[in-house]
Amino acid sequence: MTAIKHALQRDIFTPNDERLLSIVNVCKAGKKKKNCFLCATVTTERPVQVRVVKVKKTDKGDFYKRQMAWELRDLAEVDAKDASKENPEFDLHFEKVYRWVASSTAEKNSFISCIWKLNQRYLRKKVEFVNVSSQLLEESVPSGESQNVAGADEDTLDDYQELNAREEQDIESMMEVCEYAISNAEAFAEKLSSELQVLDGANIQSIMASEKQVNILMQLLDHALSEVDTIEGKLSSYEEMLQSVKEQMDQISQSNRLIQISNTNNGKLLDEIQFLVNYMDLSKGHIRALQDGDLSSPKGIEACINASEALLQCMNVALRPGHDKLMAVKSQQSLFSDLRDTFARRLTNHLNNVFVHQGHDQSSTLSQHTAELTLPKHSPLHRDLLRYAKLMEWLKNTHREKYEGLSRTYVDYMTRLYEREIKDFFEVAKIKMTGTTKEAKGKFATLPRKESALKQETESLHGSSGKLTGSTSSLNKLTVQGSNSRRSQSSSLLDMGNMSASDLDVADRTKFDKIFEQVLSELEPLCLAEQDFISKFFKLQQHPAVMPPLAQVKSFRTRTLVFRAHVSPFVPYSLLLHICVLFFSFGHSRKDMVRLMMNKIFQSIETELNSLIALGDKIDSFHSLYMLVKMSHHVWTAENVDPASYLSTTLGNVLVTVKRNFDKCISGQIRQMEEVKISKKSKVGILPFVTGFEEFAELAETIFRNAERRGDLDKAYVKLIRAVFMNVEKVASESQKTPRDVVMMENFHHIFSTLSRLKISCLEAERREAKHKYTDHLQSYVINSLGQPLEKLNHFFEGVEARVAQGVREEEVSYQLAFNKQELRKVIKEYPGKEVKKGLDNLYKKVDKHLCEEESLLQVVWHSMQDEFIRQYKHFEDLIGRCYPGSGITMEFTIKDMLEYFSSIAQSH
């Protein structure tokens, strides 16, 4: 191993100015046995750098090469695996763990010992040694001598030292003197040994000759030792004095530290006192305002507001830990509580007096509005009370019970006040409505109503503001009478039976419409103003809070109570207030609380509106059309402002009632159509409910023009038109005086004309169906009527067509006994031109008798008969030509003669 060490020093480390201190032959643990050497080296130049170098023998030859090097300062831990047993394995922890197996335990221990000494000398014990025996690490060496020991060991470890230049020169000169120094090394060594012995003897003699000087030196040393003892004594005394000084300095330092702590504590105490003074001190002016402030003047109210806000801020200050144990803080808190209770009591009593006083003042002014259809304005009351809004918010945050008591008092007084006002207001509206009816009772008559006059009346219903008014004729029970008297009556489609004899004119209906609009227009701003005031005065416009988990458990009962309170306006206010508290506790919307309070205050509005609607419907069922349009418009307006408001909800409930009355009205008209009875002695003509539907559609289009609920009218249209269709067919089937085709033709022609003129989009399919029915029955009536003027001729040619249909060839028909040429000439001779004209004249009179004058279909039917007669004539001529060829048989009148007959008959009548 020594030879290898010298070779490594010479070949690898000397060129790099390094000295090799220790070496160990190792291989990697767990792998193939590829040996290498770990070397501990130091540099010869300062600053000294200590390294662990891995050296490997080359594959070719006996040369060594430097493979890897680590700085010793990067070594974190040396693990010897076992401190008590011999184990060649060890680990070196650099940036990663390197596991090695030494060739022997002695080499491993020597290498680890060298690493430990280098760590002690150069790295200040930075490396940690694990599982290494204490003897190996030399823990018995004192810390002060560790560096010297390490240095001595380093010298002993240095088995080989390179010669310097002077030593090399001395050796060379010595070897030059001795010629056999190289050839005979043993003789040269003996010579050197003998010379050394001579020199040692000379040294011993020299030492013995200098005994006197040695004694003198010893005396000097003894004297020096005594001086050292004297110096040590003085140093001990100095040390004792310094020790007392040190104790005094320690005491001074302790005093300074205590003074610093005291100053710090005083500063913190000052901060705490300043905090309490700043945030828990209420000025005398605020205290006076809370105790004796004037709550009736604006300046007094402003002073009370500022004082209450300052008091609330002092009471809500976030105290630091321990403040609540201070007597001064407890005293201030007690003062604040007394001031809060005193001011809350003063504020509650004052606002209670204001509510009572204002309620009496408002009730004293009710008599001024009884003659007019207007509601008293509460804006002065609201304006006066809104001055206390901030104080109400303060009361809400500090005294919930008094806040709730004030709200209960306000709701109670305002409920009674509004109940009287609304009751008187609706009484005036009902008087005006019933007065309209009494005035109209003198106008009962069955005057003819021309179409132009009806149009003028409906057009006069639109004011400059564009609001929908509208009217219609009164509704009588339908009975079919003669054509002379039918047009002299006001036709009715929508009569509900309770005002069957009335014929209210347009002015009466317009007046009703204005009264109903006035009622809604007065109620709407009243409710909105009161709701806005409640939100602002009671501070209910905040956003809803987050519902706690407990609310989810109890929310079902709460929702039940709220639902019952919302449905019934007569819930006791104590229950209503309890519901409000639940709403607050469980985070429900403040809008729901406002709606609950509005339900209590205006509990009579919905009842009075329903009563007014019932009265209007009793006066005239057609009022439901006006009310549906007006109520829909106001509901739509209210929902655009606030869909969840009390006004929107209440009007929506009333709108359901109006819509129900409207549906009941439509159902009543359909029932009346089904109950129609026709006269057996007079012709039917245009049925009354057909003209009634026309008038209804004209006026409904006027009323519902640009209305929000057009869909309701469209549904009613569909129901009514289907009922009209069905009952027209029913009356036509039951008619005895007028042919069924005439009844169907005239009435469906009238329906088609009405729908084409009004252009109702939802009835387009019914319009086409009416046209189809009118055309079909016109054709059927013409064909059936034309068989009478040429009856025998028609029967003859029908028989000819029957034979051809049975398979007889057309040219062989003339050989049939009943249809030979003689029979054909006989039949043709029975219908000369004069007889044909006479038959057509009788036919014209019969058609004129069947048709009514109002529909003006006589000429249309006569023209259709002319076309059909010409078609039959051509058909007869064609049959004669095909079945009787070459016979020369022709009709005794021509097409030109027929045209002249039809024209002369039409002109003569």
Side-chain angles (χ1 to χ4, degrees):
M1 182 63 70
T2 304
I4 294 174
K5 186 175 181 181
H6 289 170
L8 293 176
Q9 176 68 49
R10 181 183 68 248
D11 297 338
I12 295 177
F13 299 111
T14 298
N16 293 328
D17 296 330
E18 292 178 302
R19 285 192 298 158
L20 177 61
L21 302 183
S22 180
I23 184 172
V24 59
N25 185 8
V26 297
C27 64
K28 290 186 177 180
K31 293 191 176 182
K32 296 181 179 179
K33 303 300 182 180
K34 291 185 178 181
N35 293 339
C36 58
F37 297 97
L38 292 180
C39 305
T41 66
V42 295
T43 58
T44 57
E45 297 180 355
R46 294 187 182 277
V48 177
Q49 295 184 4
V50 185
R51 297 187 180 94
V52 176
V53 182
K54 179 181 176 184
V55 178
K56 185 178 180 182
K57 192 173 184 180
T58 60
D59 295 335
K60 298 179 181 180
D62 295 334
F63 299 101
Y64 295 92
K65 65 178 181 179
R66 187 183 187 121
Q67 188 174 17
M68 189 179 298
W70 300 274
E71 296 289 339
L72 190 62
R73 64 174 176 270
D74 296 334
L75 180 62
E77 182 181 314
V78 176
D79 186 1
K81 297 297 184 179
D82 198 339
S84 60
K85 297 180 181 179
E86 292 186 356
N87 188 351
E89 298 181 359
F90 66 98
D91 296 341
L92 299 180
H93 294 251
F94 288 101
E95 73 280 359
K96 67 177 184 178
V97 180
Y98 293 91
R99 306 184 187 280
W100 307 101
V101 179
S103 59
S104 66
T105 306
E107 287 185 12
K108 181 189 83 169
N109 293 338
S110 176
F111 181 76
I112 292 176
S113 177
C114 179
I115 294 296
W116 182 80
K117 293 174 182 177
L118 293 174
N119 175 50
Q120 295 289 319
R121 181 171 183 178
Y122 295 107
L123 300 180
R124 307 280 182 183
K125 302 180 182 180
K126 179 181 177 182
V127 181
E128 183 178 359
F129 290 84
V130 181
N131 298 323
V132 181
S133 65
S134 59
Q135 292 92 0
L136 187 61
L137 297 180
E138 300 179 353
E139 291 182 351
S140 60
V141 178
S143 60
E145 300 175 2
S146 62
Q147 293 184 355
N148 295 332
V149 172
D153 290 341
E154 179 182 345
D155 294 337
T156 60
L157 287 172
D158 191 7
D159 295 335
Y160 171 78
Q161 293 184 1
E162 186 179 1
L163 299 177
N164 55 30
R166 183 177 178 181
E167 291 174 343
E168 288 180 356
Q169 291 178 1
D170 292 341
I171 291 175
E172 288 178 356
S173 61
M174 184 176 61
M175 293 177 68
E176 288 176 357
V177 173
C178 184
E179 296 179 353
Y180 55 86
I182 298 176
S183 60
N184 191 354
E186 292 180 359
F188 181 65
E190 290 178 1
K191 180 181 177 181
L192 292 177
S193 178
S194 61
E195 291 180 354
L196 182 61
Q197 289 177 0
V198 173
L199 292 174
D200 287 340
N203 288 334
I204 291 172
Q205 292 178 359
S206 176
I207 292 171
M208 293 177 65
S210 60
E211 181 178 1
K212 183 178 180 180
Q213 286 81 1
V214 170
N215 291 331
I216 294 171
L217 180 61
M218 293 298 293
Q219 293 176 358
L220 291 174
L221 288 175
D222 292 337
H223 180 69
L225 289 173
S226 63
E227 291 293 331
V228 167
D229 292 337
T230 303
I231 292 172
E232 285 182 351
K234 292 182 178 181
L235 288 176
S236 298
S237 64
Y238 293 156
E239 185 177 2
E240 291 177 358
M241 289 187 291
L242 289 174
Q243 183 66 29
S244 63
V245 173
K246 179 178 178 298
E247 292 176 357
Q248 294 176 2
M249 293 302 295
D250 290 341
Q251 292 178 357
I252 294 172
S253 176
Q254 181 69 17
S255 300
N256 290 337
R257 189 171 64 83
L258 293 176
I259 292 172
Q260 185 177 2
I261 292 174
S262 177
N263 291 336
T264 303
N265 290 337
N266 289 335
K268 291 183 178 179
L269 179 59
L270 182 62
D271 292 341
E272 297 294 330
I273 295 174
Q274 191 69 33
F275 171 79
L276 293 176
V277 170
N278 291 338
Y279 293 101
M280 294 197 67
D281 186 26
L282 196 62
S283 67
K284 294 181 179 179
H286 288 337
I287 294 176
R288 284 196 302 271
L290 293 173
Q291 291 177 342
D292 303 316
D294 185 9
L295 289 172
S296 57
S297 65
K299 290 184 178 180
I301 294 174
E302 185 66 25
C304 291
I305 290 174
N306 295 333
S308 63
E309 291 177 351
L311 176 62
L312 184 61
Q313 185 177 3
C314 291
M315 296 185 68
N316 292 338
V317 64
L319 295 177
R320 297 169 184 172
H323 283 177
D324 54 346
K325 298 180 181 179
L326 297 176
M327 291 300 298
V329 173
K330 292 181 179 179
S331 176
Q332 283 294 98
Q333 289 178 338
S334 177
L335 174 63
F336 295 157
S337 298
D338 293 341
L339 290 174
R340 178 196 62 192
D341 296 340
T342 301
F343 183 68
R345 186 166 52 254
R346 289 182 59 239
L347 178 62
T348 303
N349 294 335
H350 179 77
L351 289 180
N352 274 327
N353 294 333
V354 171
F355 294 159
V356 174
H357 179 69
Q358 293 290 347
H360 287 310
D361 288 349
Q362 287 293 119
S363 60
S364 64
T365 62
L366 289 178
S367 58
Q368 302 175 7
H369 299 270
T370 54
E372 301 177 1
L373 192 58
T374 57
L375 282 167
K377 305 300 181 185
H378 292 197
S379 54
L381 169 63
H382 294 165
R383 184 174 60 253
D384 293 340
L385 289 178
L386 281 177
R387 298 183 301 172
Y388 302 95
K390 291 185 178 180
L391 293 178
M392 283 297 295
E393 183 178 13
W394 176 86
L395 192 65
K396 177 182 177 182
N397 295 328
T398 56
H399 262 286
R400 171 68 67 173
E401 293 180 0
K402 293 187 181 296
Y403 168 81
E404 292 171 357
L406 274 178
S407 64
R408 180 166 56 249
T409 302
Y410 176 81
V411 170
D412 288 342
Y413 275 101
M414 296 309 293
T415 299
R416 291 195 292 269
L417 176 62
Y418 277 117
E419 186 174 0
R420 291 194 301 269
E421 293 178 354
I422 292 172
K423 183 178 180 180
D424 293 342
F425 174 72
F426 276 94
E427 285 297 327
V428 173
K430 291 176 182 178
I431 289 172
K432 290 182 177 292
M433 285 186 181
T434 53
T436 301
T437 306
K438 290 177 182 179
E439 295 172 2
K441 285 182 178 179
K443 301 179 183 179
F444 290 166
T446 54
L447 301 177
R449 180 166 298 204
K450 304 281 185 178
E451 182 176 353
S452 59
L454 182 62
K455 183 176 181 182
Q456 181 178 359
E457 289 173 355
T458 57
E459 290 176 353
S460 66
L461 298 178
H462 296 278
S464 58
S465 61
K467 292 185 177 180
L468 301 177
T469 55
S471 175
T472 182
S473 60
S474 64
L475 310 173
N476 298 323
K477 194 162 186 177
L478 303 178
T479 55
V480 178
Q481 300 179 1
S483 60
N484 294 330
S485 61
R486 185 185 57 79
R487 297 300 292 175
S488 64
Q489 295 182 353
S490 293
S491 61
S492 172
L493 181 65
L494 305 174
D495 180 47
M496 294 298 293
N498 41 6
M499 296 294 289
S500 59
S502 66
D503 186 19
L504 300 178
D505 58 12
V506 176
D508 294 333
R509 295 187 183 278
T510 305
K511 189 171 182 179
F512 169 82
D513 184 55
K514 290 181 179 180
I515 292 172
F516 193 72
E517 173 64 23
Q518 181 69 16
V519 169
L520 296 180
S521 300
E522 288 290 324
L523 289 176
E524 184 173 323
L526 181 72
C527 294
L528 292 177
E530 185 64 31
Q531 179 170 323
D532 183 63
F533 168 75
I534 289 176
S535 299
K536 292 179 179 178
F537 184 70
F538 292 100
K539 295 299 178 182
L540 299 177
Q541 67 269 32
Q542 294 89 347
H543 295 291
V546 178
M547 183 181 292
L550 180 63
Q552 299 174 2
V553 179
K554 298 183 178 180
S555 60
F556 176 78
R557 174 164 178 77
T558 304
R559 292 171 184 169
T560 304
L561 293 173
V562 171
F563 174 76
R564 292 178 60 188
H566 180 67
V567 172
S568 176
F570 301 102
V571 176
Y573 189 76
S574 58
L575 178 58
L576 178 67
L577 189 61
H578 175 66
I579 295 170
C580 296
V581 174
L582 290 177
F583 265 71
F584 274 131
S585 302
F586 300 157
H588 286 269
S589 171
R590 269 59 175 181
K591 291 184 178 180
D592 295 331
M593 267 215 57
V594 173
R595 190 161 57 248
L596 289 172
M597 296 178 72
M598 293 288 291
N599 280 338
K600 180 62 178 177
I601 292 174
F602 293 106
Q603 60 185 6
S604 61
I605 282 185
E606 187 170 343
T607 304
E608 292 291 343
L609 272 175
N610 288 330
S611 175
L612 186 68
I613 290 169
L615 177 62
D617 193 60
K618 183 178 181 181
I619 293 172
D620 187 349
S621 62
F622 196 57
H623 286 162
S624 60
L625 274 74
Y626 292 98
M627 291 186 286
L628 181 62
V629 172
K630 293 299 181 184
M631 190 61 69
S632 300
H633 175 71
H634 283 272
V635 169
W636 179 81
T637 304
E639 288 180 348
N640 285 340
V641 175
D642 184 3
S645 66
Y646 164 79
L647 181 65
S648 176
T649 305
T650 303
L651 293 184
N653 295 338
V654 176
L655 178 60
V656 173
T657 303
V658 174
K659 177 61 170 58
R660 191 179 298 117
N661 290 343
F662 175 76
D663 294 338
K664 189 188 302 181
C665 181
I666 299 301
S667 301
Q669 288 114 44
I670 295 175
R671 184 172 60 254
Q672 290 172 10
M673 295 180 194
E674 296 171 352
E675 296 173 355
V676 165
K677 302 297 180 180
I678 62 173
S679 174
K680 298 180 180 180
K681 298 181 179 180
S682 60
K683 62 182 178 180
V684 177
I686 304 301
L687 294 171
F689 56 77
V690 174
T691 55
F693 174 78
E694 177 186 9
E695 295 177 6
F696 169 79
E698 288 175 348
L699 299 177
E701 286 298 308
T702 302
I703 296 171
F704 278 82
R705 188 176 303 165
N706 301 324
E708 287 80 7
R709 295 184 69 99
R710 174 73 193 193
D712 295 329
L713 179 63
D714 291 343
K715 294 177 182 178
Y717 274 150
V718 174
K719 292 180 180 179
L720 288 174
I721 197 67
R722 299 316 306 178
V724 169
F725 279 18
M726 182 180 66
N727 286 283
V728 167
E729 295 180 359
K730 175 185 174 184
V731 171
S733 301
E734 297 174 355
S735 174
Q736 298 179 1
K737 184 72 173 178
T738 306
R740 178 178 184 276
D741 288 331
V742 173
V743 176
M744 296 287 286
M745 174 184 63
E746 287 183 327
N747 283 279
F748 279 107
H749 176 267
H750 192 87
I751 295 171
F752 169 71
S753 301
T754 300
L755 296 180
S756 299
R757 176 169 50 84
L758 295 179
K759 297 179 181 179
I760 303 173
S761 58
C762 67
L763 299 181
E764 182 62 27
E766 285 75 8
R767 186 186 71 84
R768 292 192 296 268
E769 182 180 354
K771 181 180 180 181
H772 178 70
K773 289 180 178 293
Y774 154 69
T775 305
D776 289 348
H777 288 284
L778 172 62
Q779 189 67 22
S780 175
Y781 177 66
V782 169
I783 293 174
N784 293 332
S785 298
L786 280 180
Q788 298 172 4
L790 304 176
E791 184 176 359
K792 293 182 180 180
L793 194 60
N794 273 323
H795 288 321
F796 182 85
F797 284 109
E798 286 176 0
V800 171
E801 290 177 344
R803 292 294 187 275
V804 173
Q806 292 172 2
V808 179
R809 295 174 63 182
E810 292 180 346
E811 57 271 14
E812 294 179 357
V813 172
S814 60
Y815 299 106
Q816 297 288 325
L817 180 62
F819 301 101
N820 56 25
K821 296 177 182 180
Q822 288 79 10
E823 291 294 329
L824 176 60
R825 289 190 181 97
K826 183 179 178 181
V827 173
I828 288 176
K829 286 183 179 180
E830 292 184 8
Y831 293 99
K834 181 185 288 188
E835 291 295 328
V836 170
K837 183 177 180 181
K838 182 179 178 181
L840 289 176
D841 187 65
N842 292 332
L843 177 61
Y844 184 89
K845 293 178 180 178
K846 188 174 183 180
V847 170
D848 184 39
K849 185 178 180 181
H850 287 163
L851 299 179
C852 64
E853 299 176 0
E854 291 82 359
E855 204 59 23
S856 302
L857 288 178
L858 179 59
Q859 296 302 321
V860 176
V861 174
W862 189 244
H863 188 270
S864 298
M865 286 185 170
Q866 174 181 302
D867 295 339
E868 179 63 24
F869 199 90
I870 294 173
R871 187 192 65 79
Q872 287 186 10
Y873 180 87
K874 292 180 179 179
H875 180 61
F876 295 160
E877 289 287 339
D878 180 63
L879 285 177
I880 293 173
R882 287 186 288 111
C883 298
Y884 304 93
S887 63
I889 301 173
T890 60
M891 304 290 288
E892 294 192 1
F893 56 92
T894 62
I895 293 177
K896 184 178 179 181
D897 296 333
M898 285 191 303
L899 293 176
E900 184 180 352
Y901 298 157
F902 275 97
S903 177
S904 61
I905 291 172
Q907 291 176 2
S908 63
H909 293 280

